[in-house]
Each structure stands twice: as structure tokens, then as C-alpha cells.
């Protein structure tokens, strides 16, 4: 067990798209000895994600878009089906998810419900993602969605049968962690 941590030095390795830092730190281990280590941590900011669902129709709204990291790691076309999401920037999580939902899907949502927040990859990334759910209807569709042109987003909006989406977890059609977590939450808690 670690009883104390002291940050000794931080060096910026890259500040291109996001920030990669190398941290030198020391901690007191279970034997009471001070141990020094170096680790890199990627800081891309915190984010929010949402599952839009319609219980009467038994549908969810997801997106499909190209993700370069998946492509370079073996995803043949680089496309992923995901829940809408985005970085907080300077906003709080709820403001962010309202904005991202409309930008990506075209739906203007009323009352997103905060479900939980998690570290998605705590061994190397500082990001916390805030998870939300909200109901939607066709009347809430106020624009096409698809993302922002100035951010070079090319997002396809998918309205899917919940059971089909849920089965895509096992078949490998949905491989995004946040989306899998939201679909499993819906299965357990939202009445699907």
C-alpha cells in the first residue's frame, strides 16, 4: 500500500493535439521505503457521454465515425459505433453533453440524468468521463447532427433497435467501452 506520494518533476514531452507529460515522483511503499518512478500520462481533458433512448420504440441513438487509433491498431476501416460524446472544454459535464448531443445527433435533449463517472484508462490517460442518459422523441430532432464542420467531424447518426445494439457487443459490432457500459446500464436499469 502506498502511504504518501510526492511529485518531483514534470516534463512536457508533446503539446500537439493534447499534452503528454513525463512525471518523476516518489512514494512510500508498504515497507516504509521511498521508491522513485517515472511514468508518462496523456492529458486530453475530461469528457462526457450519453445514451439517448426511447423505451416505447425500444431504440437508442448512436453514432458511427472514423477513429484513427483503432485503424492503426487493426480495425480494418477505422469506423466505430459509439454513444455521442465530447470533451468538456471549459463547460461542466451537463452543459457539455447537451452541446455534444445536439452537434453530433441533432437532438435537443431536455433533462440528461447523470449516471456515474469513471477513469477510462487510468494507467496512462488522465481523463474522467461523465456518463449520462436521456430519453428522446422524434420531436426533439432540431437539426441533422453529424458533428461540426470546423472540427472536421464526419458523424453518421444511427437510430437502432436496442436489442440489435446490445447483441452487437457480443458480435464485435460495438467495441467502444463507453458505449458498452451505457448499453449494459440500460439493460440493467432502464427497462429494456
Amino acid at each position: 500500500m502506498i502511504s504518501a506520494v510526492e511529485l518531483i518533476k514534470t516534463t512536457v514531452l508533446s503539446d500537439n493535439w493534447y499534452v503528454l507529460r513525463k512525471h518523476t515522483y516518489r512514494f512510500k511503499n508498504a515497507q516504509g521505503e521511498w521508491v522513485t518512478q517515472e511514468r508518462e500520462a496523456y492529458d486530453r481533458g475530461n469528457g462526457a457521454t450519453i445514451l439517448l433512448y426511447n423505451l416505447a420504440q425500444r431504440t437508442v441513438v448512436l453514432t458511427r465515425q472514423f477513429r484513427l487509433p483503432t485503424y492503426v491498431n487493426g480495425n480494418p476501416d477505422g469506423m466505430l459505433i459509439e454513444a455521442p460524446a465530447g470533451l468538456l472544454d471549459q463547460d461542466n459535464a451537463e452543459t457539455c453533453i447537451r452541446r455534444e448531443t445536439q452537434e453530433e445527433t441533432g437532438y435537443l435533449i431536455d433533462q440528461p440524468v447523470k449516471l456515474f463517472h469513471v477513469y477510462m484508462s487510468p494507467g496512462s490517460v488522465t481523463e474522467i468521463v461523465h456518463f449520462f442518459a436521456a430519453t428522446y422523441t422524434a420531436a426533439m430532432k432540431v437539426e441533422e447532427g453529424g458533428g461540426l464542420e470546423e472540427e472536421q467531424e464526419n458523424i453518421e447518426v444511427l437510430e437502432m433497435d436496442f436489442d440489435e445494439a446490445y447483441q452487437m457487443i457480443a458480435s464485435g459490432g460495438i467495441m467502444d467501452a463507453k458505449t458498452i457500459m451505457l448499453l449494459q446500464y440500460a439493460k440493467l436499469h432502464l427497462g429494456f
Side-chain angles (χ1 to χ4, degrees), residues 60-139:
V60 293
V61 174
L62 301 174
T63 64
R64 181 180 5 240
Q65 61 183 308
F66 178 77
R67 296 298 197 182
L68 177 67
T70 74
Y71 179 77
V72 298
N73 196 28
N75 183 4
D77 63 3
M79 301 299 285
L80 277 189
I81 295 175
E82 304 177 42
L87 294 177
L88 301 186
D89 298 322
Q90 301 303 313
D91 292 328
N92 65 48
E94 184 175 326
T95 300
C96 166
I97 205 56
R98 288 175 184 271
R99 177 189 72 237
E100 291 294 334
T101 299
Q102 188 169 345
E103 288 175 7
E104 292 190 7
T105 70
Y107 287 92
L108 181 61
I109 56 173
D110 288 332
Q111 298 177 329
V113 175
K114 174 85 180 273
L115 305 175
F116 49 86
H117 58 275
V118 301
Y119 287 99
M120 292 298 290
S121 187
S124 59
V125 180
T126 62
E127 179 185 37
I128 294 173
V129 177
H130 302 267
F131 285 68
F132 290 85
T135 58
Y136 78 95
T137 65

Side-chain angles (χ1 to χ4, degrees), residues 53 55 115-116 181 183-192:
Y53 68 97
L55 279 176
L115 305 175
F116 49 86
M181 293 166 72
L183 290 171
Q184 289 179 334
Y185 183 92
K187 184 79 165 175
L188 294 171
H189 301 289
L190 297 180
F192 282 101

Side-chain angles (χ1 to χ4, degrees), residues 9-10 15 17 23 26 33 41 51 120 151 159 161 170 180 185:
K9 179 181 175 184
T10 299
D15 190 1
W17 190 254
H23 299 279
R26 66 186 203 136
E33 302 164 333
L51 182 67
M120 292 298 290
E151 292 182 10
E159 184 176 37
D161 174 79
I180 292 169
Y185 183 92

